[in-house]
Amino acid sequence: GGGFLAIALPVGFEDIMNAGNFATMTFGAMYNKAFPLVTLLSNLSYSFNTEDNEKTKIDNLRLFAKPEYSLNLKGLSTRGQYLGLNLALAYDFSFNRMEKGASVDEGAHLFAVAPGVYYTFNKIVSAEMEFPISLAGQNQPESQAFRLELFFTLDEGLYNSL
């Protein structure tokens, strides 16, 4: 278990990205546990957003859980690699919504699942591929997508061992 704080600042150029957007502060609690067959990654978070240039904002409460099943393949483990199948579950509830400076009473919520695969190439590079699917919601657009994320991990111990 533990906690986290993440801050996203509206830094950018108007012609490129994020100029005039809101800043976000997200804080929450995490719970991770290894069970005999799966590893559970989960968190509960609250995101507070400031107003953007158009006096628009919305806050968010999120419940997230992702069980992951490790495929113990000898060829991968002997090379220090990892392959896992997972199913992310997320429930988002949005509130404190403002549009052009006026409070909007309707909140929004969305429940989505995302089957995926997580692969570790080595101690530094890993990737996750997910297919998020909206299952239920209100005042929130439903979607199906494909998401590929690359992760690069550098910490002091790893850096010194290279």
Side-chain angles (χ1 to χ4, degrees):
F4 64 91
L5 171 65
I7 298 173
L9 299 175
V11 178
F13 301 100
E14 284 191 38
D15 294 338
I16 300 175
M17 63 178 273
N18 213 29
N21 287 342
F22 49 82
T24 302
M25 181 172 62
T26 301
F27 55 93
M30 300 181 305
Y31 178 75
N32 302 332
K33 183 167 175 101
F35 294 98
L37 293 177
V38 297
T39 301
L40 176 66
L41 308 170
S42 62
N43 67 58
L44 174 65
S45 64
Y46 169 70
S47 295
F48 171 80
N49 296 300
T50 62
E51 294 178 2
D52 65 7
N53 284 349
E54 298 176 2
K55 303 275 185 196
T56 299
K57 75 176 274 327
I58 193 164
D59 295 340
N60 185 280
L61 185 63
R62 176 171 240 231
L63 178 61
F64 176 83
K66 181 167 68 170
E68 183 168 276
Y69 176 74
S70 174
L71 295 173
N72 294 319
L73 303 174
K74 187 182 277 188
L76 294 176
S77 60
T78 57
R79 294 184 302 218
Q81 297 174 336
Y82 170 86
L83 180 63
L85 301 176
N86 56 56
L87 180 64
L89 307 161
Y91 178 75
D92 289 288
F93 177 69
S94 300
F95 55 98
N96 287 344
R97 183 173 160 197
M98 291 178 63
E99 300 237 356
K100 298 183 181 174
S103 180
V104 177
D105 289 335
E106 64 184 30
H109 64 93
L110 180 66
F111 177 65
V113 298
V117 176
Y118 182 80
Y119 182 69
T120 301
F121 295 93
N122 52 42
K123 292 179 182 179
I124 298 173
V125 181
S126 57
E128 184 165 29
M129 182 174 51
E130 295 179 322
F131 301 94
I133 303 166
S134 300
L135 293 182
Q138 179 179 2
N139 300 325
Q140 187 87 347
E142 293 185 14
S143 66
Q144 283 92 24
F146 168 76
R147 182 177 15 209
L148 177 62
E149 299 172 311
L150 291 174
F151 303 97
F152 299 93
T153 305
L154 290 177
D155 63 22
E156 187 177 340
L158 180 60
Y159 178 77
N160 290 333
S161 70
L162 294 177

